[in-house]
Amino acid sequence: MKRPMPLLATLAALGLTFGAASYTAPAAAREYVSVTVTDRPPPPRFERMPPPRVGYVWAPGYWNWYGGRYVWVGGRWAAQRPGYVYHPPVWHPYGRGWRVERETWVRDPYWHR
């Protein structure tokens, strides 16, 4: 028969403590899939940008490679991330083909709290 654990031992086993508690967020997993295609992407489509929205940045539309062909992904509003700058997807020549650099948020070197 198992003996019941005292309350403090149970809390410690669960990672809970009295006084200063800390929390470590799980590591952000980033999945990266590199796609190289031989066909040049079509020119970007014209999209009328809607009026500005406070707290958001405009992520323009782009051509994505899906199902063996280019598919247009329309622009959208992305929630702003303080201290970061949004970089949209861009296709670059790569060897004898083309490779997309996916959208990303890059730390803003000029941002100060």
Side-chain angles (χ1 to χ4, degrees):
M1 180 171 157
K2 278 182 137 182
R3 265 181 38 182
M5 292 176 68
L7 179 60
L8 288 177
T10 303
L11 292 174
L14 292 174
L16 303 173
T17 60
F18 295 114
S22 67
Y23 171 75
T24 303
R30 285 193 73 165
E31 182 179 311
Y32 181 77
V33 177
S34 175
V35 176
T36 303
V37 295
T38 55
D39 299 336
R40 179 185 198 115
R45 289 184 177 173
F46 173 77
E47 288 186 316
R48 186 175 307 277
M49 189 173 97
R53 289 179 61 184
V54 175
Y56 291 85
V57 296
W58 178 249
Y62 65 98
W63 289 105
N64 189 29
W65 184 257
Y66 182 78
R69 64 189 180 95
Y70 285 104
V71 177
W72 181 254
V73 177
R76 62 181 171 73
W77 288 109
Q80 199 169 27
R81 295 180 60 189
Y84 289 84
V85 176
Y86 175 78
H87 285 223
V90 179
W91 284 92
H92 297 288
Y94 184 81
R96 293 186 173 170
W98 293 83
R99 182 174 282 182
V100 67
E101 182 180 324
R102 298 289 179 195
E103 70 179 355
T104 187
W105 290 88
V106 178
R107 212 175 263 286
D108 184 355
Y110 302 105
W111 186 77
H112 300 290
R113 285 188 189 214

